[in-house]
Structures are given as structure tokens and as C-alpha cells.
Amino acid sequence: MRAGPGPTVPGGPADRPLRIGVLAVQGDFAAHARLLEGLGAEPVEVRLPRDLVGLDGLILPGGESTTMRRLIDLYGLREPIVALATDGAPVYGTCAGMILLANRIADGEEPVLRLLDITVQRNAYGRQLDSFEADIAVPALGEAPMHGVFIRAPVVSEVGPDVEVLARDPDGRPIAVRQGRVLATAFHPELTPDRRLHRLLLEMIAP
Ligand code: GLN
């Protein structure tokens, strides 16, 4: 389901859509893939290192970060994902994806990809707020708030000096951050019709 001509690779053949990998070992990768297709990009499900070859960008979806971490290592994906990002491909992590990107995880858990200078705290909203929805102001994306869907979501408890905070939760804690070409949100825009964050990812590749 392509929605007309989408963004293409700068300097590449005009008809080659952006190829965006979606880590597909566990979690809600299918929702991201559908959304990317709707934006005219070509989603590529990533399960093995060879799936990462030639990608223009990568999405790390929500899910269970403990399981995802295990499968990333089982399939040998850790190094090639880090290499793709350090070669300059933009990466966007939602929820568990944000945890995978973080340089530090509160409570001493080993970090996974170390591509984002933040500390995350897993399951930060406690039992009663296991899942909730809230309108979130994201000034960098325009005036209209984003509808944030939070599912056993993490928060960011520390940000490094090069990290830009794009949004905060009602208590003022960062829940959307960007450091260069790495983007992360604690919430799940792929479960809403709002495409602004996915567009931002595509614009990092083809402005
Ligand atoms: N609580 C999950 C974790 O710690 C993240 C939840 C999500 O991705 N929706 O991995």
C-alpha cells in the first residue's frame, strides 16, 4: 500500500524509495512497517545481520527489551546495528527501542547499543499507570500535541549535554529525545495516526 511518491534517496535513482529497517525479532514491528509504507518508504524487516545491508535508516520498536536484547545477541545483530548507526544512518527507538539505544539503564542493567547518551528507567510509571494515554506537547513538531500511548513505558532520568529533549511527561520528565541522528520516544506514535516522528526520521535522510 504505497501512498504516492514518497521520499527518495538523495542523489540516488529517483524511483528508489528510502529503505528503512524495522527490527523484527519481537514486539510491534508490524505497525511501524505499515506506517512507513504509508509514507512511501520501503520497510525491511530485520532479523539477521544481512537484512541491515543497504538500509537508509532503522527503527527499533516497542516490545520487551529483555527478550529483544537476548535475540539481538543470538542473531549477532548488536555490532552491525551499531555500525549502521555510526556510519550515519538515522535510528528511531520507541519504548523498548529507547531502552536498547540508551547508554545507561537505571538499576545496573547492562546497556545494549549505547547509541544515545541518556539513562533510562524501565517501567517507570508503576502498576496503576501500567498503560495510559496523554496528550504530549512536542514543540519541535508543531503546535498540535501528540497523542502519547504509554505501555509499561520507560522515562529518561538523565540526559547528556548533546541530547535535545523534545517532549516531557506531565511531571516534567523527558520522554522524547534526540541526539544527532538518533531519536527515541517512550511512547508509541505507530499506534496512532500521527506520523510526524516517522516523517522526522525520513527527513533526517532526505530533507
Ligand atoms: N516495559 C518494556 C521493557 O522494559 C517496554 C515496553 C514497551 O516497549 N511498550 O522492555
Side-chain angles (χ1 to χ4, degrees):
M1 188 195 69
R2 288 282 304 274
T8 52
V9 178
D15 58 354
R16 154 136 130 63
L18 298 185
R19 300 183 75 228
I20 309 295
V22 185
L23 180 67
V25 294
Q26 193 261 341
D28 83 327
F29 54 89
H32 285 281
R34 271 195 301 275
L35 197 156
L36 288 168
E37 231 163 28
L39 289 173
E42 182 191 332
V44 177
E45 293 190 356
V46 172
R47 296 192 178 82
L48 293 170
R50 64 165 183 251
D51 302 326
L52 291 159
V53 175
L55 294 183
D56 300 305
L58 180 67
I59 289 181
L60 306 172
E64 177 51 51
S65 61
T66 308
T67 307
M68 289 166 86
R69 149 206 303 277
R70 213 172 288 139
L71 294 173
I72 282 173
D73 284 334
L74 183 67
Y75 298 125
L77 289 165
R78 197 191 284 229
E79 274 178 34
I81 289 175
V82 171
L84 183 75
T86 39
D87 281 352
V91 181
Y92 174 26
T94 58
C95 203
M98 176 192 245
I99 298 166
L100 298 175
L101 286 169
N103 283 10
R104 295 167 300 279
I105 303 176
D107 302 324
E109 224 178 288
E110 213 16 51
V112 185
L113 300 170
R114 291 188 171 94
L115 289 169
L116 181 57
D117 189 11
I118 59 171
T119 306
V120 286
Q121 189 190 341
R122 293 179 64 193
N123 305 318
Y125 292 95
R127 260 198 197 182
Q128 302 210 332
L129 281 180
D130 241 7
S131 291
F132 66 100
E133 301 187 15
D135 280 346
I136 301 295
V138 192
L141 296 181
E143 240 174 65
M146 293 199 78
H147 190 66
V149 178
F150 295 80
I151 305 166
R152 303 190 67 219
V155 293
V156 177
S157 53
E158 280 172 356
V159 295
D162 298 328
V163 176
E164 183 188 353
V165 175
L166 300 177
R168 295 178 183 273
D169 74 5
D171 294 330
R173 301 182 291 182
I175 45 165
V177 292
R178 177 179 177 174
Q179 180 181 10
R181 295 176 150 243
V182 180
L183 183 66
T185 59
F187 54 94
H188 291 267
E190 76 284 4
L191 302 180
T192 74
D194 199 323
R195 292 160 176 206
R196 282 177 287 172
L197 280 160
H198 290 75
R199 275 213 192 93
L200 177 62
L201 179 78
L202 300 182
E203 281 163 14
M204 288 185 207
I205 308 163

